[in-house]
Amino acid sequence: METTTKIKNRITELFQKKSNNILNIYFTAGYPKIEDTVTVLKALEKAGVDMVEIGMPYSDPVADGPIIQQSSLDSINAGMTIKKLLEQLKDVRKEVTIPILLMGYFNTVMQYGVETFMKEISEIGIDGVIIPDLPLDEYIEHYQVICESNNISNVSLITPNTSDERLHVIDNITQGFIYMVSTNSTTGNDAKKTEDNHEAYFNRIKSFGLKSPRMIGFNIKDKKTFTDACAYANGAIIGSAFVRMLSASSNLEDDINQFIQNIKK
Amino acid sequence: MNYNVDKKGYYGNYGGAFIPEMLYPNVEELRENYLKIIYDESFQAEYKDLLKNYVGRPTPLYFAKRLSEKYNTNVYLKREDLCHTGAHKINNTIGQILIAKRMGKTRIIAETGAGQHGVATATACALMGMPCVVHMGAIDMERQKPNVERMRMLGAEVIPSMTGSKTLKDATNEALRDWINNPVDTFYIIGSVVGPHPYPDMVARLQAVISEEIIDQLTEKLGNPNPTHVIACVGGGSNAAGAFYHFLDQPDVELIAAEAAGEGVYSGYSAATTALGKPGVLHGSKTLLMQTEDGQVVEPHSISAGLDYPGIGPMHANLFETGRATFMSITDKDAFEAAFMLARTEGIIPALESAHALAVLEHRKFKKSDVVVVNLSGRGDKDLMTYITRKEEYLSTK
Ligand SMILES: Cc1ncc(COP(=O)(O)O)c(C=O)c1O
C-alpha cells in the first residue's frame, strides 16, 4: 500500500477550524436550470453552509434514490457534461471560499480522463471528490497518487456493514473526511425500519477512535435529523431534501436561504 | 493466453467490481463463497439432479439435416430451447438459488428485460419456496405482458422500474438499489455474465454445462469433441459464455458471437456493443459500453428484448479485444428472416435472440467438412406477437 502524502486544502482547513455541526449540502449541477450551478453555490455560501458537494449527473446513478436520479436526468437532458460544469466553475474561486467537492460516478470521470480531470478541477480550486462506485482497492492501486499529487481529497464511504479491518484501511488513506452512510440505503430513502439500528452503528463508529473527521449522510433531511446526526459526527450532509426543495422553488436565493436557516436555527 | 477470470476479477482489461461501498459486504461474501459452494459435492449432486430431472438436461445436440444441406456444411443445433421455461436462463437461476440457500439468504431479487430471466428466477423461487421480487422496466412490462403474467402466476412480485429509459438497464439499476436497501437477507440473481466480480465468472460456470454437453455429444456422434465453429448470440453474453466455455482454450474452435445490430449498426437504433462501444463502467464492471462522449449510457435498440442491452459481459469484451472470438452484427431483419427460415426448414420456432445466431449461417461461408454448432438459446413462443405483427414489414420482399 502507498504511503499517503498529507494534503492541505479547504476541506482539511475547515476541519481544523470547526469540529462540529458542519453543514454540507449536496446539489445536482445544472439543476433546476442548466445555468443555475453557480447561483445555487453562491446562495449556499451566503446562507452560511460550511461545505458543498456538487453532483455531476450520470445516467445510471445506482447509489441514488429517485429525487437525485430525476434531477440528474433533467440536467443531462438540458446538456450538462463535465466539460460544461468545469466551464461554469472556472472562476468560482473569485466568489466562493467554502470547500467544494464534486460527486459523481466513475464512468463519466473515466471518459473525461481521470488524470486530466483531477488536474483541471484542482486548477479551478475544487477540493475533493466523491465517486461512490470507485472501489477502495482500485483507488489505492491506480488513483490515489493522482488525487494526492493534485491536492484532491478522495472521500470514501462507510456503511453499517463496513468491517473493522476495512475501517482501518479507509481511515489511513482518508484525506479530508469519511462519509458515513447513515443506513443501508440509497439516497433519500425514508424507510422507517432503518432508524432502529442507527444508534448502535453510530456509537460503534464514534467509539472506534478514527483519526479522520466524519460526516453523516443519506436520509438527513431537516433540523431534527441534522442535529441528531451531529451528535455522532463532525457534521452531516443533506442531499435529496435540498434537491426536492430546488425542484419546487420559484425564487432560488430566498428559498435556499430559508431552507438553510431552518436547519441552522 | 488465459480467457478466464484472474484473481482480481478481471478478464484482461475488463471486469472488476465497481460497486458502491454499500454493496461491498454482499459482493465480498459471495466472492469468498461461490467457488467453495459450486465445487462442493453436495451442491453438485443437487444441481445436477435438478438440471436432469427438472430442467430436462442434457438438451439434445441435433444434427439439422435440411439446414446443413441448405448451407452446404454440418449444422448442429444445441437445443437450449427445450429447457424448462424455454431458454438457457434456468441453468443459471437454479444454480444461483442453490448458492443463495447455502449462504442462508431468504429473499431473492432479479432484473429482467424480456422476462425470460425473470420467469426462470420466479420458477426457481417457486421450486424452493422462496419469496421473489423481479425488477422490470415499465416499458418492457408493457411489451412483454405474457411473461409478466407468468412470473405473477409463479408467485413473484414484479416491480416496474420507472426510472431512466424504463428498460433492462434501469431494471438492473433498481435491482442493485434493492440490494443496497436489503443487504443482509437478500440474494441478487443476475441474469447474465454481467455485474461485479464474481457474477460474470459464477454465471459462466453455471452455464458451462452447455459446452460440457456439446463435447460429450460430439464425441459420441463424431468421435471428436471439438466442432470447428460455435455460434451464439450475445446480449449480456450468458448463453455464449456457456457455449464457448470449454472451448476457450481450444484455438482450433472458432467462436462466433452474434450481436444485435437493430435497424443497422450505424442507424442510431442498434445494440451492437463491440461495434459502437468504448471501455466504460456499468453495473459494477469495466467493459465495452455504448455511451456518449461524456460517458452517459446510450439506450440500445434491438427487436429482441433479450439483446437490448448497452454493454456485454467483461469476458466477451476481452474475447473481442484479444480476437479470440469473432463478433458479427445481425440486423432485426436478418434475425427475423432466420427465424422464419428455421421454422420452415427444421420445424423449430426460435427465440428472436437465438435467431441472431442462426442468421450467421447466411452471412458466413462454411466448408463442407465444417462442424458448426449453433446455440439455440431459446424458443420463440414469447416472440409470437412480434412474429405476427412485424411479418409484413420484414418479409415483404419474399
Ligand atoms: C432466449 C434468449 N437468448 C439469449 C438471451 C440473451 O442473454 P445472454 O446474452 O445472457 O445469453 C436471452 C435474454 O433474455 C434470451 O431470452
Side-chain angles (χ1 to χ4, degrees), chain B residues 82-206:
Chain B
L82 295 176
C83 288
H84 178 44
T85 71
H88 68 290
K89 297 280 178 189
I90 196 153
N91 303 331
N92 172 41
T93 61
I94 294 283
Q96 284 199 50
I97 205 164
L98 293 178
I99 293 172
K101 267 180 56 176
R102 280 168 169 74
M103 287 172 63
K105 305 293 174 179
T106 52
R107 174 178 176 266
I108 299 294
I109 58 172
E111 85 296 337
T112 198
Q116 287 306 102
H117 174 60
V119 167
T121 306
T123 300
C125 287
L127 181 67
M128 298 294 160
M130 284 169 91
C132 179
V133 170
V134 179
H135 293 273
M136 185 170 189
I139 290 179
D140 288 338
M141 283 181 71
E142 204 45 53
R143 292 197 283 197
Q144 310 284 336
K145 273 199 182 126
N147 270 346
V148 174
E149 292 313 320
R150 282 167 89 193
M151 288 185 266
R152 287 183 175 145
M153 184 162 174
L154 290 160
E157 181 188 355
V158 185
I159 300 184
S161 314
M162 305 300 291
T163 56
S165 51
K166 305 186 177 66
T167 59
L168 176 57
K169 150 179 106 62
D170 309 282
T172 309
N173 292 338
E174 287 306 327
L176 287 166
R177 290 185 186 115
D178 184 324
W179 210 19
I180 288 174
N181 286 296
N182 301 284
V184 181
D185 63 340
T186 297
F187 189 96
Y188 177 17
I189 298 190
I190 295 187
S192 192
V193 285
V194 301
H197 177 67
Y199 276 101
D201 184 49
M202 176 171 69
V203 176
R205 285 173 196 266
L206 294 172

Side-chain angles (χ1 to χ4, degrees), chain B residues 87-89 114 116 191-192 233-240 306-307 351 353-354 377-378 382:
Chain B
H88 68 290
K89 297 280 178 189
Q116 287 306 102
S192 192
C233 67
V234 173
S238 67
N239 87 85
L307 304 184
E353 290 81 7
S354 322
S377 58
K382 70 179 177 62

Side-chain angles (χ1 to χ4, degrees), chain A residues 57-62 64 69 76 81 107-108 111 132-133 135 138 141 157 161 166 184-186 189 193 218, chain B residues 8 10 17-22 24-25 163 169 173 176-177 180-183 279-282 291 294-297:
Chain A
Y58 179 47
S59 54
D60 297 82
V62 284
D64 287 300
Q69 283 170 44
I76 293 168
T81 62
N107 194 51
T108 54
Q111 301 313 317
D133 62 340
E138 295 274 347
E141 192 173 332
L157 273 53
N161 295 335
R166 205 162 160 83
N184 289 309
S185 86
T186 45
N189 188 324
K193 60 163 189 175
F218 284 38
Chain B
K8 287 181 168 174
Y10 273 83
F18 291 80
I19 43 166
E21 187 65 21
M22 292 82 99
Y24 180 83
T163 56
K169 150 179 106 62
N173 292 338
L176 287 166
R177 290 185 186 115
I180 288 174
N181 286 296
N182 301 284
V281 171
L282 180 69
Q291 52 184 315
D294 345 287
Q296 308 297 348
V297 181

Side-chain angles (χ1 to χ4, degrees), chain A residues 235-247:
Chain A
I237 303 162
I238 301 179
S240 295
F242 183 75
V243 173
R244 186 195 285 122
M245 179 281 290
L246 289 183
S247 71

